[in-house]
Amino acid sequence: MKIVVSGTPGTGKSKFSKKLAKELKFKYLDIKTFSRKNKIYDKIEKNCLIIDEKKLVKELKKLKGNYVIDGHLSHYLKADYCVVCKCDLKVLKKRLEKRKYSKQKIKDNLDAEIFDVCFIDAKKIQKNVLVLDTSKGYKMEGIVRLIK
Ligand SMILES: Nc1ncnc2c1ncn2[C@@H]1O[C@H](COP(=O)(O)OP(=O)(O)O)[C@@H](O)[C@H]1O
Ligand SMILES: [Mg+2]
């Protein structure tokens, strides 16, 4: 089984994915590390990998077994479940400031969250989309029960 966890940067994908993988005893896969290892990126700009989604999906499809896949492009892989992490905008702004992102990068990410980019894209591709607001807290047991 594959579970993809998507969402705007800072919405809590990594924290949630790692916990979920632990609970379900699935492997955890971070797209950034995976893309570096498998050279799936076209170029590196301002320390960001510019990833080709088609190449990424092709490589992810080769994985066998149970995985929780963490990344804002993960929803391009058709999975058993897709979790989209969401976050209150004020909270998200604070989280991104903590990361010392530039004003422009913070604005771009807040815009992506406002326009629900990951969710809208995910809905076009996935059959089971779950939305999780990490600024409101969540109970892992409930989510695990739903997926199992
Ligand atoms: N449920 C949560 N409650 C409180 N803080 C959270 C929660 N989820 C994530 N965070 C915090 O928000 C920041 C970004 O989380 P992270 O998982 O790295 O996001 P992403 O992987 O989507 O970029 C981290 O500082 C993390 O500790
Ligand atoms: Mg992350």
Side-chain angles (χ1 to χ4, degrees):
M1 170 151 47
K2 306 274 184 297
I3 301 167
V4 293
V5 180
S6 189
T8 308
T11 51
K13 298 180 293 296
S14 299
K15 192 170 172 171
F16 171 73
S17 303
K18 285 173 191 166
K19 262 196 197 168
L20 183 66
K22 210 171 165 189
E23 287 288 326
L24 292 169
K25 300 194 171 61
F26 280 20
K27 283 178 217 152
Y28 166 80
L29 187 146
D30 156 46
I31 290 211
K32 220 179 265 171
T33 313
F34 180 79
S35 302
R36 261 184 217 279
K37 263 192 202 155
N38 293 282
K39 304 220 167 18
I40 300 171
Y41 53 89
D42 291 331
K43 53 185 171 179
I44 302 177
E45 253 173 33
K46 292 182 196 155
N47 223 0
C48 287
L49 302 181
I50 310 297
I51 294 171
D52 178 330
E53 286 130 37
K54 279 198 186 126
K55 271 192 224 163
L56 174 67
V57 169
K58 200 176 150 212
E59 289 305 315
L60 288 174
K61 273 187 179 166
K62 292 180 188 166
L63 297 171
K64 298 270 181 287
N66 296 322
Y67 277 91
V68 176
I69 301 170
D70 166 16
H72 73 278
L73 297 174
S74 67
H75 61 268
Y76 286 105
L77 175 75
K78 235 182 229 166
D80 299 280
Y81 288 94
C82 172
V83 180
V84 177
C85 290
K86 303 273 308 162
C87 184
D88 173 83
L89 293 174
K90 277 189 193 149
V91 177
L92 183 59
K93 187 163 180 268
K94 280 202 187 116
R95 287 184 187 174
L96 296 175
E97 282 167 354
K98 236 184 174 173
R99 287 186 177 174
K100 308 254 181 288
Y101 279 6
S102 68
K103 278 215 170 92
Q104 186 60 47
K105 194 165 173 183
I106 292 175
K107 189 184 174 297
D108 290 347
N109 282 317
L110 288 174
D111 283 349
E113 186 63 6
I114 291 165
F115 292 111
D116 234 359
V117 176
C118 288
F119 176 75
I120 290 168
D121 280 352
K123 275 298 228 183
K124 290 182 203 152
I125 299 162
Q126 307 289 337
K127 54 180 195 298
N128 296 313
V129 180
L130 310 174
V131 176
L132 185 71
D133 189 332
T134 67
S135 51
K136 296 208 172 84
Y138 50 78
K139 287 219 164 54
M140 196 50 86
E141 310 90 79
I143 298 159
V144 169
R145 216 176 305 131
L146 194 73
I147 289 173
K148 268 183 173 172

